[in-house]
Amino acid sequence: MIALWMLYSSLVGLGFGLAALALERGAALWTKPRRLVWAGAIAASLIVPVAALTIRRAPVPQAIGPGSLLIEGIVAGPRLVARSPVGASSGASRIRPRIAALNRPLLVVWGASSLVLAIGLLRGAIRLRRRARAWRVAAVDGTEVLVAPDLGPAVVRLDGLRVVLPEWALSAEPAARSLMLQHEIEHRRSRDPDLLLAATVALALAPWALPLWWQVRRLQLAVETDCDRRVMRTGADAHAYGTLLVSVGARSTLQPLLAPTAFSEARTLLERRIEAMTPPSPKWRLVRTALVTAAGAVIVAAACVTPRPAPAPAVQGARVYSEDSVTERPALVAHPPIKYPDSLKAAGVGGRVVIEAIIDTTGHAEPASVRIVSSSLAAFESPSREVVLASTYRPGRLDGRAVAVRVRIPLNFSVAPGLPAPQPPPGVYLEDSVTDRPRLVSRPPPAFPDSLRAFGDTLRLMGRPYVLGVEAIVDSTGRVDPASVRILMSWHPGFDAAARASVMASVYAPGRINGRAVPVLIRMPIEFQPPAAPAATQH
């Protein structure tokens, strides 16, 4: 959601700004440069929110416990907890459309305000070049400068960084003119105009971020304060320099956009700069430095762990793809505890529900799309719908781009005893630790055991879905290692041999880590088609 992401970005920017304020105090205690602190805060205020959009959350490790639920090849039990409870999911489904309605207006306002600032920067650069045609080149105290009738002192970018002095500065007292010129030379030497230009461009990228405006203003003050400090290191008299700041500031002329200059600040900022020229007290300096550094570190940590919003869901009306038309199908990441009906669990009755849903680009099921396709028992339908809505999925992708995909999700309820967590041998990976999981290409259907055909009617009445949980290793060629095949769940030992044979004959697209095929330990369901009921005999 754009609105939530903007709020998140503003909170992160405020946090980094407060941290920079604390760290700036520490730099002042040791007369160290302050502008780099604020430049870092501005960069972090932009990079961290963008990273929050692009860096995928780590998948939740899978654990298997009693009362397992088998979802599309992944055995998951009550120990798995989704990001939010089922109730919160239904509340979020009501709020999301309202917030999503703000996406387009906010994007329009964002684009318009960024365009206005960009046009302002471009217009300022064009006007500066036009006015510079009337300026003359002069040598002042051995330094080549541009002399303007109504602009300066300043440093501007015109075929390089150039010092600009106003006409009246040429007739000023030599000592005052020398300090004025030295200040602008220091700006040019440190490339302060380029730093301020980069900060203003950052501001144009996110003009709605109010903390960013404050950070840029603090950067401008830090740039001037650092420059004053460098001038004072050349041996300038503090009293004379401070008097010059005030007297020349009172008659300063129009300044070009983004030109750092000592004499164009507001009176309150001039006062801060003059106060900053006073050497800091050495009393308790180490303690004070430790305190402000610790405060800055705590605030930075708080800004980095600020809960980031979930990505915006698929736009209403966006194209929905089928599972066969995408390059990467949606995959389950986490789900909440399953509400297994107590009466069925006590009776040892399992079941199967197939749900159709659209998994959007954020990895969530769109509530309006969830529908029951088939169900062995009606008692399993409500908990199945709830678990699908509250689950988190890895979204489907088409050529690397997240897309909405319509899927069918089989949920197989089993009261099998608790199973051990998967323990892959050395060199073999778990499904959650690879970039691309193994994908089934072909598998021969398992043969229904002849010895159990006589019990078909009984099994159908009990709602048995004829599904087994099997564990196996898919090697880097996509073949199943026969020695690794292990039966995890079975309703009757008579199913085991046929299930094992079906798995060993399966072919997969191998699992991969950053494009490299690797062996992966997987868990999968094996479904047996129930034997056809005998036809009624006609007389």
Side-chain angles (χ1 to χ4, degrees), residues 50-66:
V50 172
L53 285 179
T54 56
I55 297 177
R56 183 182 300 172
R57 289 179 173 88
V60 180
Q62 298 195 33
I64 303 172

Side-chain angles (χ1 to χ4, degrees), residues 281-524:
S281 171
K283 186 176 181 180
W284 301 103
R285 186 163 61 170
L286 289 176
V287 175
R288 291 155 62 192
T289 302
L291 289 176
V292 297
T293 303
V298 169
I299 298 173
V300 167
C304 291
V305 299
T306 300
R308 57 181 178 174
V315 179
Q316 196 75 5
R319 181 176 178 183
V320 178
Y321 294 82
S322 65
E323 290 186 86
D324 294 333
S325 62
V326 295
T327 52
E328 184 179 344
R329 298 182 179 184
L332 179 69
V333 174
H335 70 81
I338 182 66
K339 296 179 180 178
Y340 204 117
D342 294 334
S343 59
L344 297 179
K345 187 174 182 180
V349 175
R352 175 182 175 84
V353 178
V354 178
I355 290 183
E356 183 179 84
I358 295 175
I359 306 301
D360 64 23
T361 56
T362 73
H364 296 88
E366 294 185 359
S369 70
V370 177
R371 70 180 187 91
I372 304 294
V373 176
S374 63
S375 173
S376 60
L377 286 174
F380 289 125
E381 295 179 9
S382 178
S384 297
R385 186 187 300 272
E386 289 181 352
V387 78
V388 168
L389 284 172
S391 296
T392 303
Y393 303 83
R394 187 173 60 195
R397 295 185 178 274
L398 180 62
D399 299 328
R401 177 174 58 90
V403 293
V405 182
R406 188 182 302 276
V407 299
R408 287 199 172 186
I409 306 170
L411 295 96
N412 301 292
F413 291 78
S414 166
V415 289
L419 300 173
Q423 298 291 334
V428 178
Y429 297 84
L430 289 174
E431 288 185 87
D432 285 334
S433 62
V434 297
T435 308
D436 299 308
R437 299 185 181 192
R439 179 171 54 84
L440 181 64
V441 176
S442 64
R443 173 185 294 152
F448 196 92
D450 292 335
S451 60
L452 298 179
R453 288 184 179 274
F455 301 98
D457 292 339
T458 302
L459 293 174
R460 277 191 294 272
L461 291 174
M462 293 180 63
R464 296 296 189 183
Y466 312 103
V467 173
L468 300 177
V470 183
E471 182 179 86
I473 295 175
V474 176
D475 63 24
S476 58
T477 68
R479 298 290 179 176
V480 174
D481 180 6
S484 69
V485 178
R486 188 161 66 102
I487 303 297
L488 299 176
M489 293 191 302
S490 177
W491 279 270
H492 191 282
F495 288 112
D496 295 0
R500 192 184 300 273
S502 177
V503 170
M504 289 190 294
S506 301
V507 177
Y508 286 82
R512 297 180 181 275
I513 295 180
N514 298 327
R516 178 173 60 90
V518 294
V520 181
L521 180 66
I522 66 172
R523 288 181 170 180
M524 72 207 82

Side-chain angles (χ1 to χ4, degrees), residues 85-120:
V86 175
S89 176
S90 59
S93 65
R94 292 192 299 267
I95 296 174
R96 281 179 184 171
R98 301 178 184 177
I99 300 179
L102 298 175
N103 287 348
R104 188 179 298 276
L106 288 175
L107 286 174
V108 171
V109 172
W110 183 351
S113 54
S114 294
L115 182 61
V116 168
L117 286 179
I119 291 175

